[in-house]
Amino acid sequence: MPFPPYLAASFLSIVRCRAQVERALRTATLRRPDSEKVTYQFLALRTASDGVVENICLELRSKLNLISPHKADVFAIHMQFLINTLKKYLSDEVVSLASDTRRMMLSKAGTGGRGIGKGMGNGPEGLTALENLERLGRVYVLCLTDN
């Protein structure tokens, strides 16, 4: 099973944003009133990450009635993946929105958190899908890590 295309495309846009800001500004910082140094790159990554995750959540919520329980389980796993992978860059509001959306997907799936992952497939198929998702996460964490 390949990486979910919407996740791969979303992460690609975030990584591309990082590269563009890095190329343009290098290590330029922005001073905040509390003397905390924050790089423009971090602000760009936060904005891009918040936008991607927020829009995925809003799309899932708008289509909740059309999502099957099986797909809801898969989307719940994807939401947890997004939260785990981008947690350094997500604002508290977007983490809350993503967590609430994940809970909605679990409720729709009827698992309530128990038996999560069954939508990815049982046995070797499900394990392979989860391993692919973990691999994708490791790649993007490496791409987003400061050097």
Side-chain angles (χ1 to χ4, degrees):
M1 179 178 187
F3 298 130
Y6 80 98
L7 288 180
S10 297
F11 277 112
L12 182 59
S13 68
I14 294 169
V15 170
R16 187 170 183 209
C17 174
R18 180 189 193 278
Q20 289 172 337
V21 171
E22 185 174 340
R23 189 175 333 122
L25 300 175
R26 306 277 180 215
T27 58
T29 59
L30 171 69
R31 292 207 183 262
R32 288 189 160 178
D34 58 3
S35 319
E36 178 186 326
K37 282 188 173 184
V38 177
T39 64
Y40 286 110
Q41 183 178 72
F42 180 83
L43 293 174
L45 286 170
R46 169 161 278 176
T47 301
S49 298
D50 277 355
V52 164
V53 173
E54 181 179 16
N55 283 310
I56 289 171
C57 290
L58 294 175
E59 185 70 17
L60 288 173
R61 286 168 173 249
S62 73
K63 303 237 189 286
L64 185 61
N65 293 335
L66 304 174
I67 298 172
S68 71
H70 170 78
K71 289 302 278 183
D73 189 32
V74 172
F75 287 133
I77 293 166
H78 292 176
M79 290 308 304
Q80 188 62 53
F81 167 78
L82 286 168
I83 294 166
N84 291 345
T85 304
L86 296 173
K87 63 184 162 207
K88 177 180 177 182
Y89 302 106
L90 294 175
S91 65
D92 293 340
E93 296 83 21
V94 173
V95 169
S96 178
L97 174 66
S99 295
D100 290 347
T101 302
R102 179 181 172 271
R103 279 191 289 281
M104 287 174 68
M105 293 297 117
L106 288 173
S107 176
K108 175 80 177 195
T111 62
R114 300 171 313 278
I116 187 167
K118 297 297 183 192
M120 299 291 274
N122 290 324
E125 308 86 34
L127 185 56
T128 300
L130 290 172
E131 287 172 348
N132 284 341
L133 205 53
E134 287 175 7
R135 225 176 280 126
L136 177 66
R138 285 192 299 270
V139 167
Y140 285 106
V141 166
L142 286 173
C143 291
L144 295 173
T145 302
D146 295 329
N147 296 330

